[in-house]
Amino acid sequence: MRKILRSSALQEVLALIIMLALIVVIMASASNLFLTPRNLTNLLIDSTTVGIIAVFSTMLMISGGLDLSVASTAALCGVVIGALQVSLGLWPAVLIALATGALVGLINGLLVTFVGINPLITTLGMLSIARGLAFVFSNGLTIPVFDLSGEHMAAYNAFARLSEGRWLGLPYPVWLMLLLFALGLLILNLSSYGRAMYAIGGNEEASQLAALAVKRYRVSAYVLSGLSAALAAVFLTSRLYAADPRAAPGVELTVITAVVLGGTSLAGGQGNLLGTFLGVLILSSLLNGMKLQSTSTELQNIVQGLVLLLAVAIDQVRNGNLQLGFLRRFQKSKQT
Amino acid sequence: MNALLLEMRGIHKAFYGVKVLEDVPLTLYRGEVLALLGENGAGKSTLIKILNGDYQLDSGQIFLEGQAVYFKEPRDAEASGIKMIYQELHYAPDLSVAENLFIGNLPRISGPLGRFFIDWKKMRQEAKHALALLNVEIDPDTPMRDLTVVERQIVEIIKAIYADAKLLVMDEPTAALTPPEVEMLFDTVRRLREKGVAIIYISHRLDEIFQIAQRVTVLRDGRHVASKPMSEVSPASLVEMMVGREIEARQVELAEQTAGAKVALEVRQLGKTGVFEDISFKVHEGEIVSIFGLLGSGQISLTRSIFGAERSDRGSIFVNGQEQRIRKPQDGKRAGIGFVPIDRKVRGLVLGMSVRKNLTLSNWQNLSRLSFFLPQLERQHSQTWIEALGIRMAGGMDVPVRFLSGGNQQKVVLARWLEANVKVLILNEPTWGVDVGARSDIYDQLEMLAKKGLAILVVSSDIQEVLSISHRVLTLYKGRLTAEFDHSEASQDKVLNAAAGGAL
Amino acid sequence: QECSTAKDNYKIGFANLTEDIVFTQLVRESIVSAAEGLGNVEIVLADNKLDGATALSNTENFITQGVDGIIHFQTDEAFGNVIMARARNAGIPVMAIDIPMPGAVFFGADNYNAGRLAGEALGNWVNTNWDGAADAMLVLELPQSGPIPAARMQGMLDGFQDTVTTKLSDEQIYRLDSKNTQEESFRVVGDTLPSIPDATKIVAITINDGTALGTIAAAEAAGRKDQIMVVGQGADPSGQEEMVKEDSRYLGATGYFPENYGDKLLPAMIDILECRPVAPAIYQDHVFITKENLCEFYADEQAAFCKP
Amino acid sequence: MTATAPQKKRSWLKGDSITTLSLLLSFFVLCIFFATQTEFFLTSANAANLARTLAVVGICSIGMTLVLISGGVDISVGSVAALSGVLASLFWLEFSLPLGLSTFLALLCCTLVGLLNGLIITVIKINPLITTLATFSIVRGLAFVISEGQTNQLNNAAFTYIGRGSLVGLPFSLILMLVLYLGFAFVLRSSAFGRNLYAIGGSPEKARLAGINVSRHLLITYTLCAFLAGLSGIIIAAQLASSAPRAATGLEFTVITAVVLGGTSLAGGKGSLLGTLVGVIILRVLDNGLVLMEVSSFYQDVARGLVLLLAVSFDQIRLGLSRLRRGST
Ligand SMILES: Nc1ncnc2c1ncn2[C@@H]1O[C@H](COP(=O)(O)OP(=O)(O)OP(=O)(O)O)[C@@H](O)[C@H]1O
Ligand SMILES: Nc1ncnc2c1ncn2[C@@H]1O[C@H](COP(=O)(O)OP(=O)(O)OP(=O)(O)O)[C@@H](O)[C@H]1O
Ligand SMILES: [Mg+2]
Ligand SMILES: [Mg+2]
């Protein structure tokens, strides 16, 4: 039985593995730089912001939620670090930024769960608010996160090491991303929390009647999503020595694209992190490979759109999905 | 014998390689009611969904009035005069009753633009007329979502019988109806039959079959067992054909209630404005108590409130003599109450999850360390319950619960609460849509559980079931308890009378 | 040869600010065509998408691709440190367009002074035509896009105030977010005009030709076209077309000549690579383009107007 | 039917009408607020300005309302609007076709994009959000490729009349929009297509079983939506007398916000064009008032998000209360 399960999990991501392999082969044959360790490291580093957030977006979407505000939240959290570093010190500012992310997630979660606003609308509103606040707090300026006075070298160096430090040749943010994916896989597949995510996304009412603390789980998934955005912001800020209210443009869409590419259903109740991981890798290989070819931005956008469609279409064909499954998500949110 | 209307020959159908129908024939004559019988999962619904164009057959042929037909979509079947009442309700909540009655076939205005625009006046008139068929007083302009479940079901039925159909298929239409409503439905069916309409009638209630059908076709495991006139069969022989073995008519052997049994559940003056009021009763350890009431009397809301799925406004609940503050299901569970909801598919199970995961959904605490499941332990416990309750499924405990038959699904929900080690078990309509065999299994389980000392509270609208399985019967009318009967003194007349508000 | 970076052929990375606007597209085109002209330079392109992280990632990619020099057009000075650190480690010289970076040779607009040119022209026009006093000023800015546009706006504002006879008070100045699109400036100007019903002498300073066009369209829609006079930055083809119209309310725009950037940038880059001395900052000459001097610079583009 | 259930009170204050009512209320509150904050809000010049600038979001919102009612969503509208202007100028300026024909062809191409959306959604059965997310980036990319990133002037009086002209004292675009609202409101309320759309949004599976050709309805809906988005794009181009590939950036968010604000449910099966119209107006008034009040654009984003959440929360809370009162679950 185990074997069958394992192979079916493998089957689920098989199409993605093939797609990734194909992209790698194409990109590698187009440029012999693609497979150099240096480039692969860059590729991985570039995928960390999306990757870190995507772990928790996957969980959230499996539970039937959705968070479009992650990129704005990340920008806001970065700005919080920038704005508070001088008055409070760098590390307290980082902690407050993490708390800010969690708070934004909590507000999203409470609005979705207790007020009952549709997740898309809730987080769309939050997208606007968080981005606006990021501009307000930064006055629209990019704030250097740099030891200007020279009095706190240790703290700032440590902060910079967050993103620059390496272990076994890979930068820390990549390890963090891998760690989060591994942790997420464990949680989703083996823990009661993961089980609850699948159950709530699969059938909220049944979960409630099975005495699961549905609302608490839901809120927590949003909090984690906000927290992951803050975490991504911390590493981004550390990497750039600066906090930009414009940071992470379009990341929310990239995250959703990666998660959906990975086979997580927008309807909730289905999905897996391995798929998301592959989805993230596919998107960043595609982008990186096209960059090495100096592909124009427009063409990059078009190719990404097509790949998304293709991947989801393959999934549909593989599932032999002949039902109107695509509308079920809206059905479900209707029942809640 | 009337003229042959429908002939299905050699129907085969498989889902994902699993054969669901094998070489099944079906014949139907004008003006007859054909009962289609079989256990849960025998393939009844699949067969008629193929007839209706909802599913496509793998091989076989369908002849309607001698012509070979092939329906790609339900609307094709409808165009040929085939109408369905589905097992699950199908309505658009935000449209009015009138629109729901005619949806897919809205009356259009005459004239060149007639194709596009609706004739509201005609629609309303016809809707009134149609609703009068079953003596229903519903304003046709009411949005569907404002109706009660029963009203919605009735609208569904009317929708099908009002259409000018040659062939009407009814898949368990009476599950939610009260006896007078069933009677009215049967009247209508007889009238339609006299007009020459042919009807395929699916039900797990054998008494209904004998009331209404002329012929019966029995399926077992996707194969045709027999087609016979009703005059040649008896309930016992039907059951044997369906199950493949003999099952004696069930009479639960109730254990003697010992006088000193402890009170497991006590409800005092529970009230919820506008729904139920002043409800007080006790359930002892080892006792099965049924609440019987016409649908909409508040019994579902009452049990939901006891478990915490809804909030009551007043009153108190005691479990094992301890007052409990129950405001959400977690509280109910903590207090030792288990709850089997009314519609297992919609409310009871996460259909896409495996049997095992559904089984342990409420019980991860015992099966995990630091919130992480201990896979061995989980499987072991699941296996224990699967064996104890005789849950049958192809493919083992990792099969999605969606693929189980209704009765087995019901057992999964039951097992979940037994694993949670509850003291009080509340069951809502435990045998809705469950076949005779599985029904008998479920009764066995209840009996066994009661003997083990569990206090069991059952809500059922099946009077036979209530009379046979309960130590005591409480009747509910318009949200108030009207009477209480011991097993010995309960009779169909008395209970029905009390539940209709006529008693006391 | 003494100079270790000197070669016969060069591979130079150019990362553009964004590919979304005409100005930067022209910069890219000029660099590509200048490289074709030189013959021994290969250009590797990238798009910074107005984002610091993307600029950093592009830098890394350039290093991977083994470029000899990098021309960076990126969004904020604050990202300069980290970008330059990477390039320094890889021993690759960097030129920075428009936004200075520590240790990079600066090239490009003197944004503030380019802005001043337009502001002064507008001030002079007001002095001549409106007796030295305007009633209100609309400032169509781009606060989301960081310091480059901010410097241009400040330059325009200061240039106007320093030139005009009667300075505008703060209350007379309306700062509007153009979001870098015509329709947004159309909308915000349309929304603002009702709040200055009595103003008949309105000046507008705009961040680029597109927002200038939107501003003029809004005034026209409100029936107040003749009450407004607009200056802008860029002098793109669409802006030129607007200037040469009869009764145009587009006084003019500071020309940045992005089409010449390449011709100046690449030789400087090659000088750097071949260890010749290069000034730490090279400024592009700016000219305020109006209907009158347009044909000196853009005779080919506006042939219909210039060679009737 | 035995009357055992608690008697339901019939009232005209129900469902859609109360949603619209509470919206109108928010609208008036907003108006009063702005009127007290800035003397220019209630001037005829401002009214005229508002009237001129409603049509773009207004017309696009009609299509989105249909799509949301059908249970889907269309993210690609902004890109389609940009494509429409870009194509019109391509056909006119590059191919030297007559302007009328150019406009028609541009709209036709947009309609084809909608058809494509619809086909992907109904035939390959990809989730509408994903489908239109993909066409969102593809179509925007095409607009850039076709226009080579250039802004093109479209100086033609007949063309700009669509965006700037007025008829009987009202802006032409407003009249066009109102006519479309009337027409589509009629379609939604009284045509078989409209009613079926509600049924499909309520439950596509059930609608199919009721004999409705779900695919065809969805196909038509997405096609209409793209056509209307294209029309919005034409109006943008006509108002500005120019086309740009960056046009209508973020239009999809504004439009979805307006439609949902107007009480149309993202869950499908519920909504009205009257509500949408009010939603469109509220959003427009909000933006207008904030500009008149000279609120910094950073705070405008915050305010927009807050108003969206407040308006929707208000509606949800009201719904929850009425459900409580009815005592059902
Ligand atoms: N109004 C509120 N404000 C802030 N936090 C709240 C609020 N309501 C609930 N919470 C938080 O959410 C958690 C979950 O709430 P609650 O216990 O009511 O629901 P639940 O147990 O998750 O499930 P259900 O409501 O479905 O029974 C609470 O423990 C609390 O921390
Ligand atoms: N869409 C489907 N996909 C996969 N399996 C299906 C599907 N529909 C039905 N089945 C399977 O086909 C078998 C027959 O199901 P069907 O619904 O026809 O039974 P039934 O006789 O109507 O039972 P019941 O009395 O419970 O309604 C069952 O094993 C069921 O699990
Ligand atoms: Mg069935
Ligand atoms: Mg709760």
Side-chain angles (χ1 to χ4, degrees):
Chain A
M1 199 67 235
R2 275 277 170 85
K3 225 186 263 170
I4 297 170
L5 268 186
R6 215 175 285 149
S7 70
S8 85
L10 200 68
Q11 255 184 14
E12 248 171 57
V13 295
L14 199 66
L16 291 173
I17 293 176
I18 292 173
M19 188 174 242
L20 180 61
L22 221 66
I23 290 173
V24 167
V25 168
I26 292 172
M27 294 306 175
S29 61
S31 161
N32 51 8
L33 297 172
F34 185 78
L35 284 181
T36 56
R38 209 199 137 81
N39 189 53
L40 292 180
T41 311
N42 286 347
L43 188 157
L44 284 175
I45 272 232
D46 283 346
S47 63
T48 48
T49 302
V50 168
I52 289 171
I53 298 175
V55 173
F56 297 92
S57 277
T58 306
M59 287 192 199
L60 179 62
M61 281 166 71
I62 285 174
S63 78
L66 184 72
D67 191 351
L68 287 178
S69 69
V70 281
S72 306
T73 306
L76 176 62
C77 295
V79 165
V80 165
I81 298 177
L84 299 181
Q85 55 177 338
V86 176
S87 50
L88 294 182
L90 183 60
W91 291 111
V94 168
L95 284 183
I96 290 180
L98 291 174
T100 305
L103 181 69
V104 171
L106 180 67
I107 295 172
N108 279 334
L110 291 177
L111 285 174
V112 169
T113 314
F114 288 93
V115 186
I117 308 177
N118 178 294
L120 185 73
I121 295 300
T122 304
T123 56
L124 204 59
M126 191 53 81
L127 173 154
S128 202
I129 295 173
R131 188 67 81 173
L133 287 177
F135 275 102
V136 168
F137 293 148
S138 64
N139 232 333
L141 301 174
T142 303
I143 311 169
V145 180
F146 210 66
D147 194 14
L148 297 170
S149 61
E151 287 163 21
H152 309 283
M153 285 299 269
Y156 279 89
N157 285 342
F159 185 65
R161 259 201 310 284
L162 276 185
S163 63
E164 282 170 4
R166 286 180 182 234
W167 185 60
L168 300 179
L170 282 182
Y172 290 164
V174 176
W175 284 115
L176 176 77
M177 176 175 76
L178 295 177
L179 184 76
L180 287 177
F181 268 106
L183 209 67
L185 265 171
L186 274 181
I187 289 177
L188 270 178
N189 291 324
L190 292 177
S191 79
S192 60
Y193 187 82
R195 192 68 64 81
M197 293 288 114
Y198 282 103
I200 293 167
N203 187 341
E204 171 160 8
E205 190 173 3
S207 307
Q208 205 154 9
L209 291 178
L212 292 184
V214 169
K215 293 185 174 175
R216 208 172 304 178
Y217 279 116
R218 271 202 190 291
V219 173
S220 73
Y222 281 96
V223 171
L224 283 179
S225 175
L227 197 59
S228 73
L231 205 57
V234 168
F235 280 85
L236 194 64
T237 309
S238 144
R239 211 177 143 212
L240 294 173
Y241 303 164
D244 184 358
R246 290 159 282 270
V251 160
E252 64 276 357
L253 293 186
T254 319
V255 167
I256 291 183
T257 307
V259 174
V260 171
L261 204 62
T264 296
S265 149
L266 278 170
Q270 265 180 45
N272 68 88
L273 260 182
L274 207 55
T276 300
F277 184 60
L278 289 167
V280 170
L281 287 188
I282 285 176
L283 287 183
S284 50
S285 317
L286 206 62
L287 196 66
N288 176 287
M290 289 195 291
K291 272 185 178 177
L292 290 182
Q293 300 300 310
S294 298
T295 313
S296 74
T297 311
E298 299 91 62
L299 207 60
Q300 287 178 21
N301 287 339
I302 294 177
V303 169
Q304 277 192 32
L306 287 176
V307 165
L308 175 62
L309 274 186
L310 187 71
V312 184
I314 290 174
D315 202 45
Q316 289 294 79
V317 173
R318 194 173 51 77
N319 283 342
N321 200 345
L322 293 173
Q323 286 166 353
L324 295 157
F326 61 95
L327 282 167
R328 230 174 276 143
R329 141 160 217 256
F330 299 100
Q331 264 323 100
K332 219 163 264 161
S333 52
K334 190 179 184 71
Q335 286 162 8
T336 56
Chain B
M1 180 73 59
N2 275 324
L4 188 66
L5 176 67
L6 171 77
E7 187 176 7
M8 298 173 84
R9 277 191 214 151
I11 305 293
H12 285 263
K13 176 75 186 173
F15 288 108
Y16 310 113
V18 180
K19 285 179 184 162
V20 173
L21 292 176
E22 278 191 86
D23 196 21
V24 175
L26 184 116
T27 50
L28 183 67
Y29 298 90
R30 276 184 209 286
E32 77 165 347
V33 176
L34 172 74
L36 188 55
L37 289 192
E39 288 184 288
N40 290 122
K44 307 179 295 291
S45 296
T46 306
L47 185 65
I48 58 170
K49 283 181 181 172
I50 285 175
L51 168 63
N52 187 45
D54 191 2
Y55 292 163
Q56 306 306 310
L57 43 73
D58 296 339
S59 69
Q61 281 172 304
I62 305 175
F63 298 92
L64 191 66
E65 297 175 317
Q67 299 282 313
V69 288
Y70 171 70
F71 301 130
K72 254 184 87 177
E73 281 285 332
R75 59 174 171 277
D76 302 335
E78 223 176 276
S80 300
I82 298 176
K83 259 295 198 188
M84 282 278 278
I85 298 171
Y86 289 93
Q87 207 167 351
E88 305 89 22
L89 296 186
H90 295 97
Y91 58 91
D94 285 287
L95 297 188
S96 69
V97 169
E99 284 175 281
N100 268 285
L101 280 174
F102 297 106
I103 195 80
N105 191 20
L106 296 165
R108 317 288 164 95
I109 57 169
S110 51
L113 285 177
R115 228 182 122 227
F116 300 104
F117 294 108
I118 299 167
D119 189 342
W120 291 96
K121 210 171 128 203
K122 185 169 162 217
M123 185 163 86
R124 229 169 260 131
Q125 262 173 6
E126 293 209 10
K128 283 209 180 106
H129 190 221
L131 290 167
L133 276 183
L134 284 190
N135 260 348
V136 188
E137 282 172 32
I138 305 173
D139 181 348
D141 289 334
T142 325
M144 204 67 174
R145 70 159 73 254
D146 287 354
L147 301 188
T148 63
V149 179
V150 193
E151 287 173 325
R152 288 176 203 166
Q153 168 110 31
I154 289 176
V155 170
E156 284 288 304
I157 293 172
I158 292 177
K159 175 178 159 188
I161 57 185
Y162 189 69
D164 222 356
K166 289 179 204 141
L167 197 174
L168 193 59
V169 183
M170 300 180 158
D171 198 350
E172 301 190 41
T174 54
L177 300 193
T178 60
E181 285 156 2
V182 172
E183 215 22 72
M184 237 166 339
L185 177 70
F186 284 179
D187 273 347
T188 317
V189 167
R190 285 185 198 108
R191 247 182 293 140
L192 289 170
R193 194 162 71 75
E194 278 154 25
K195 288 202 317 193
V197 177
I199 290 151
I200 298 176
Y201 189 91
I202 300 175
S203 176
H204 291 294
R205 295 185 179 172
L206 293 187
D207 51 327
E208 289 181 353
I209 305 285
F210 280 94
Q211 272 185 59
I212 193 89
Q214 283 78 54
R215 251 172 9 103
V216 59
T217 291
V218 181
L219 301 183
R220 186 168 70 227
D221 294 335
R223 292 169 192 272
H224 180 254
V225 178
S227 293
K228 290 186 176 172
M230 287 306 290
S231 53
E232 292 175 19
V233 295
S234 67
S237 69
L238 275 182
V239 169
E240 198 187 331
M241 282 192 269
M242 281 160 64
V243 186
R245 64 192 148 102
E246 229 171 301
I247 292 187
E248 40 191 297
R250 284 294 308 174
Q251 182 65 42
V252 174
E253 279 175 45
L254 292 169
E256 267 313 291
Q257 266 304 114
T258 43
K262 276 200 332 196
V263 175
L265 171 73
E266 181 177 359
V267 173
R268 275 190 211 157
Q269 309 206 301
L270 209 61
K272 178 165 180 161
T273 309
V275 187
F276 55 83
E277 217 45 79
D278 198 18
I279 306 281
S280 302
F281 64 87
K282 294 177 186 169
V283 185
H284 299 86
E285 286 181 352
E287 191 181 26
I288 302 178
V289 174
S290 291
I291 300 180
F292 181 83
L294 306 179
L295 265 152
S297 305
Q299 66 272 49
I300 300 293
S301 215
L302 172 62
T303 54
R304 282 171 61 89
S305 303
I306 294 173
F307 177 61
E310 266 178 46
R311 289 193 184 177
S312 52
D313 302 333
R314 288 168 288 284
S316 40
I317 296 163
F318 298 79
V319 175
N320 281 355
Q322 298 249 293
E323 174 154 16
Q324 307 286 339
R325 182 177 166 275
I326 296 181
R327 300 166 65 81
K328 54 190 187 213
Q330 294 96 295
D331 300 335
K333 183 188 162 215
R334 208 171 298 128
I337 303 175
F339 184 82
V340 178
I342 188 163
D343 180 345
R344 57 190 164 264
K345 279 200 173 121
V346 177
R347 300 192 168 85
L349 295 164
V350 184
L351 289 174
M353 275 187 21
S354 67
V355 173
R356 167 174 55 97
K357 291 178 181 177
N358 269 290
L359 254 170
T360 57
L361 196 55
S362 312
N363 313 303
W364 52 272
Q365 286 92 341
N366 322 327
L367 305 173
S368 61
R369 192 175 298 147
L370 300 170
S371 287
F372 281 86
F373 279 99
L374 301 167
Q376 275 320 106
L377 196 64
E378 192 192 2
R379 288 180 171 276
Q380 203 180 309
H381 276 241
S382 304
Q383 193 55 42
T384 311
W385 285 112
I386 288 172
E387 280 162 19
L389 296 191
I391 300 175
R392 282 189 291 273
M393 70 230 137
M397 63 175 81
D398 292 311
V399 165
V401 76
R402 161 194 334 275
F403 295 122
L404 266 61
S405 75
N408 283 309
Q409 287 181 342
Q410 190 71 295
K411 288 185 202 164
V412 173
V413 186
L414 210 59
R416 176 190 298 160
W417 291 112
L418 301 180
E419 163 76 20
N421 204 9
V422 294
K423 303 175 200 77
V424 178
L425 188 59
I426 300 174
L427 300 103
N428 289 287
E429 304 288 359
T431 58
W432 261 16
V434 168
D435 68 53
V436 262
R439 188 181 301 221
S440 149
D441 282 352
I442 289 173
Y443 293 161
D444 281 342
Q445 293 304 328
L446 293 187
E447 195 181 318
M448 186 227 14
L449 294 170
K451 279 186 183 145
K452 280 192 180 162
L454 218 67
I456 297 175
L457 181 65
V458 176
V459 166
S460 172
S461 52
D462 182 338
I463 183 80
Q464 299 304 334
E465 175 169 296
V466 166
L467 293 174
S468 72
I469 65 168
S470 340
H471 291 102
R472 275 186 299 140
V473 180
L474 307 173
T475 54
L476 200 66
Y477 173 66
K478 288 196 176 177
R480 284 175 189 274
L481 285 179
T482 51
E484 176 178 336
F485 303 95
D486 263 349
H487 181 70
S488 52
E489 58 184 25
S491 74
Q492 179 156 347
D493 287 351
K494 280 199 253 178
V495 171
L496 275 177
N497 190 30
L504 307 180
Chain C
Q1 209 171 359
E2 291 289 293
C3 183
S4 63
T5 45
K7 285 187 188 173
D8 291 338
N9 289 299
Y10 296 104
K11 190 168 175 183
I12 291 171
F14 169 58
N16 207 351
L17 180 66
T18 165
E19 286 290 333
D20 272 5
I21 55 180
V22 180
F23 177 79
T24 55
Q25 286 164 358
L26 291 173
V27 170
R28 192 231 317 129
E29 281 168 18
S30 81
I31 289 176
V32 170
S33 71
E36 280 164 10
L38 286 172
N40 65 339
V41 176
E42 180 197 347
I43 297 290
V44 180
L45 291 174
D47 181 357
N48 285 336
K49 296 182 185 171
L50 293 168
D51 179 38
T54 309
L56 181 59
S57 152
N58 287 334
T59 313
E60 302 273 15
N61 273 337
F62 285 150
I63 298 170
T64 307
Q65 285 163 300
V67 298
D68 301 303
I70 296 175
I71 302 173
H72 242 304
F73 194 173
Q74 62 94 21
T75 180
D76 204 293
E77 214 166 338
F79 302 125
N81 291 316
V82 64
I83 290 174
M84 290 310 294
R86 297 296 148 89
R88 240 193 327 274
N89 281 343
I92 300 174
V94 180
M95 291 186 75
I97 300 181
D98 274 14
I99 286 286
M101 296 200 286
V105 171
F106 177 84
F107 173 89
D110 181 353
N111 288 294
Y112 178 78
N113 282 317
R116 278 199 74 100
L117 277 184
E120 285 164 6
L122 187 61
N124 284 326
W125 187 89
V126 169
N127 289 341
T128 328
N129 297 281
W130 284 345
D131 297 331
D135 298 329
M137 173 186 268
L138 308 181
V139 181
L140 272 293
E141 54 186 354
L142 197 46
Q144 277 90 1
S145 296
I148 302 178
R152 295 181 184 180
M153 292 318 295
Q154 196 56 45
M156 277 194 279
L157 187 57
D158 291 351
F160 179 82
Q161 293 285 49
D162 293 348
T163 319
V164 77
T165 316
T166 316
K167 280 192 178 44
L168 288 168
S169 67
D170 277 354
E171 288 77 54
Q172 289 171 295
I173 297 175
Y174 295 82
R175 291 183 166 274
L176 306 174
D177 183 355
S178 73
K179 302 232 158 72
N180 198 16
T181 65
Q182 271 185 67
E183 79 245 44
E184 187 66 15
S185 43
F186 177 83
R187 188 179 73 74
V188 290
V189 171
D191 283 349
T192 308
L193 287 177
S195 69
I196 40 174
D198 302 326
T200 54
K201 297 183 246 176
I202 305 165
V203 290
I205 56 178
T206 64
I207 188 58
N208 53 34
D209 293 287
T211 45
L213 261 52
T215 305
I216 294 167
E220 191 171 359
R224 296 170 72 173
K225 193 178 174 189
D226 54 350
Q227 298 176 356
I228 201 165
M229 186 49 77
V230 182
V231 294
Q233 301 283 301
D236 300 337
S238 63
Q240 296 163 17
E241 226 176 295
E242 186 66 33
M243 284 172 213
V244 303
K245 280 183 188 162
E246 228 157 279
D247 307 322
S248 172
R249 306 310 289 178
Y250 198 24
L251 181 61
T254 305
Y256 284 71
F257 308 105
E259 57 279 3
N260 301 337
Y261 273 33
D263 293 335
K264 300 191 176 175
L265 267 165
L266 285 188
M269 179 51 94
I270 287 174
D271 283 346
I272 297 171
L273 290 170
E274 297 184 347
C275 306
R276 284 187 285 271
V278 173
I282 304 164
Y283 288 105
Q284 173 73 328
D285 294 326
H286 299 292
V287 178
F288 187 67
I289 305 287
T290 63
K291 201 175 196 167
E292 280 68 43
N293 65 2
L294 180 88
C295 294
E296 282 176 42
F297 300 94
Y298 298 105
D300 293 341
E301 285 84 347
Q302 300 301 325
F305 171 74
C306 294
K307 300 170 194 148
Chain D
M1 180 71 235
T2 40
T4 47
Q7 203 54 49
K8 293 178 293 287
K9 288 213 181 65
R10 302 257 312 138
S11 147
W12 67 277
L13 274 182
K14 240 164 85 174
D16 286 356
S17 56
I18 195 168
T19 301
T20 313
L21 208 71
S22 62
L23 260 182
L24 280 172
L25 201 71
S26 336
F27 171 65
F28 284 121
V29 170
L30 207 60
C31 285
I32 290 168
F33 173 74
F34 284 134
T36 57
Q37 293 299 309
T38 151
E39 59 196 296
F40 307 109
F41 182 73
L42 287 181
T43 59
S44 60
N46 196 43
N49 160 51
L50 287 176
R52 272 197 305 276
T53 44
L54 272 179
V56 173
V57 174
I59 289 178
C60 199
S61 298
I62 297 175
M64 190 65 81
T65 307
L66 298 186
V67 169
L68 290 195
I69 286 176
S70 82
V73 71
D74 188 349
I75 306 288
S76 70
V77 287
S79 305
V80 171
L83 182 71
S84 133
V86 164
L87 283 177
S89 64
L90 175 82
F91 292 133
W92 187 42
L93 299 175
E94 298 287 321
F95 299 170
S96 306
L97 298 178
L99 189 56
L101 182 64
S102 303
T103 311
F104 173 78
L105 285 178
L107 285 175
L108 191 69
C109 292
C110 293
T111 312
L112 286 179
V113 173
L115 192 65
L116 187 73
N117 277 338
L119 282 174
I120 296 173
I121 290 166
T122 56
V123 178
I124 315 182
K125 300 187 194 307
I126 296 180
N127 177 297
L129 185 67
I130 300 302
T131 304
T132 55
L133 203 59
T135 45
F136 158 85
S137 53
I138 295 172
V139 172
R140 179 70 69 179
L142 281 179
F144 270 98
V145 170
I146 292 169
S147 66
E148 294 171 343
Q150 302 287 335
T151 301
N152 285 307
Q153 294 231 357
L154 290 161
N155 292 311
N156 176 297
F159 184 73
T160 51
Y161 181 83
I162 304 174
R164 300 178 182 173
S166 45
L167 198 69
V168 294
L170 286 175
F172 175 76
S173 61
L174 184 72
I175 294 176
L176 180 65
M177 177 187 102
L178 291 177
V179 168
L180 285 171
Y181 265 90
L182 276 178
F184 276 99
F186 185 68
V187 166
L188 269 184
R189 291 179 83 96
S190 298
S191 80
F193 172 79
R195 302 319 285 175
N196 288 345
L197 217 51
Y198 282 95
I200 292 170
S203 161
E205 182 58 20
K206 293 168 182 177
R208 189 179 73 90
L209 292 176
I212 296 172
N213 190 335
V214 174
S215 296
R216 187 192 298 164
H217 280 75
L218 291 184
L219 211 60
I220 295 175
T221 304
Y222 284 95
T223 308
L224 278 175
C225 182
F227 168 78
L228 291 165
L231 194 56
S232 293
I234 294 292
I235 292 175
I236 294 175
Q239 274 175 348
L240 300 168
S242 64
S243 76
R246 310 188 71 243
T249 308
L251 181 66
E252 59 283 349
F253 282 165
T254 315
V255 165
I256 292 177
T257 308
V259 176
V260 171
L261 204 57
T264 297
S265 156
L266 274 170
K270 182 170 170 292
S272 75
L273 274 178
L274 179 64
T276 296
L277 185 61
V278 180
V280 169
I281 295 174
I282 288 185
L283 273 195
R284 189 68 261 280
V285 164
L286 179 68
D287 280 349
N288 170 257
L290 291 173
V291 172
L292 286 177
M293 282 174 64
E294 296 183 59
V295 173
S296 129
S297 75
F298 301 156
Y299 281 107
Q300 287 185 29
D301 282 345
V302 180
R304 234 172 265 140
L306 280 177
V307 165
L308 173 65
L309 290 184
L310 276 179
V312 185
S313 307
F314 181 58
D315 202 43
Q316 280 297 331
I317 291 167
R318 188 192 53 71
L319 263 177
L321 284 181
S322 75
R323 215 175 286 145
L324 268 187
R325 230 177 288 120
R326 268 194 284 154
S328 65
T329 41

